[in-house]
Amino acid sequence: MRVQSLFIYPVKSLAGIEVSSFELDEFGPAGDRRWMLVGDQGQFITQRQLPLLANVTTHIGPQGVEIGVPGQGDFVLKPGNGRMAVKVWRDTVDALTGPEPADAAISRYLGQSLRFVYMPDESVRRVDPLRVPENRRVGFADGFPLLITNQASLDELNSRLANAVDMRRFRPNVVISGAEAWSEDGWQSITVGETRFAVAKPCSRCVMTTVDPDTGLKDPDTEPLRTLSRYRKTGDGVIFGQNVVHQGSGRLSVGDAVDISQQES
């Protein structure tokens, strides 16, 4: 088994970036989902509410994170001095405000008031202690530092669909090839190179999987979520991929060898 592809998402729910390698820090992949969009009340905003966010590109340039807003131009995201409390799911996090020109551009594009916020190093959002007993932190990802998916499982899903979808629908950080379809259901830990990842929980999927990452439009037949729900529904929801927590630092690269430890049956 090998690492087939790697992705980072500098801004939660904006387009991701496929990379050849990334470093791990305390939060997960370095720079992953440290930025987020919020509404006027500080509540997090994603493609669940605004699927056209998929059309806002991200890039890591010499000045840091850059975004491209359709019809508005390119903007560098730099944290400012303003602070605000923001909500991401059940967590309240102290965040820094972003640049006003980027806020204005994204608000014009989507027709409502939005602003960028950044999670600084001193803000601590804990990973769900019911799933991960040790005190670990996460950025603005939904709940865990990394998501790992299995290419064979996507291939099997696509064999059931009239129109195949690509892995970007599921927004993974690490895609593994060479495993059997749905074998991830029994994964207990994953070792990539010298770095071990503990499996925390299966990833329950939502309407975001129905958004075409190339157009920002939702599938009218709610695929692939509809098909997944017919045979991948569990007590944790409709499942695709595994949420994991890294057990150390290091660099992951495409082509790295992967070793899997299975749960005892």
Side-chain angles (χ1 to χ4, degrees), residues 32-254:
D32 189 78
R33 283 171 275 220
R34 297 288 293 275
W35 286 94
M36 180 174 73
L37 278 166
V38 298
D40 287 335
Q41 304 303 312
Q43 185 70 21
F44 78 115
I45 299 294
T46 72
Q47 291 179 35
R48 297 170 182 87
Q49 304 102 319
L50 297 173
L52 288 177
L53 286 173
N55 294 331
V56 182
T57 61
T58 58
H59 174 71
I60 306 298
Q63 299 183 72
V65 177
E66 301 175 4
I67 62 165
V69 184
Q72 304 296 323
D74 299 330
F75 303 86
V76 175
L77 297 184
K78 288 287 187 183
N81 295 321
R83 290 185 175 268
M84 66 182 297
V86 299
K87 288 281 290 183
V88 52
W89 297 113
R90 293 172 293 179
D91 300 322
T92 300
V93 180
D94 185 39
L96 300 176
T97 57
E100 291 183 2
D103 293 347
I106 197 76
S107 298
R108 286 192 298 269
Y109 173 58
L110 292 165
Q112 66 183 75
S113 179
L114 299 169
R115 63 195 309 179
F116 289 95
V117 295
Y118 177 78
M119 184 185 290
D121 288 346
E122 61 267 26
S123 288
V124 177
R125 178 181 174 224
R126 185 175 175 180
V127 173
D128 184 353
L130 297 179
R131 297 285 186 170
V132 180
E134 62 264 33
N135 190 359
R136 297 298 302 275
R137 71 194 307 191
V138 63
F140 286 131
D142 274 354
F144 297 89
L146 297 99
L147 173 66
I148 295 183
T149 60
N150 178 359
Q151 180 62 43
S153 298
L154 179 64
D155 295 341
E156 195 280 333
L157 170 60
N158 277 332
S159 73
R160 300 169 182 255
L161 298 175
N163 298 297
V165 299
D166 71 43
M167 193 64 88
R168 289 178 299 157
R169 298 267 186 141
F170 299 96
R171 298 177 71 82
N173 296 108
V174 183
V175 183
I176 290 174
S177 63
E180 294 184 4
W182 310 119
S183 61
E184 63 268 32
D185 292 346
W187 294 353
Q188 184 174 42
S189 67
I190 303 159
T191 303
V192 181
E194 300 298 319
T195 306
R196 179 179 174 273
F197 301 84
V199 174
K201 71 177 288 290
C203 186
S204 56
R205 312 314 308 215
C206 68
V207 70
M208 274 185 60
T209 60
T210 71
V211 177
D212 185 335
D214 292 319
T215 65
L217 300 176
K218 288 183 179 178
D219 185 276
D221 297 320
T222 65
E223 293 291 10
L225 191 60
R226 173 186 285 186
T227 295
L228 269 178
S229 67
R230 292 175 181 151
Y231 72 116
R232 295 290 300 163
K233 194 168 186 178
T234 73
D236 286 305
V238 179
I239 299 305
F240 189 98
Q242 294 287 345
N243 292 297
V244 303
V245 177
H246 50 307
Q247 307 297 301
S249 59
R251 173 174 287 272
L252 272 61
S253 299
V254 171

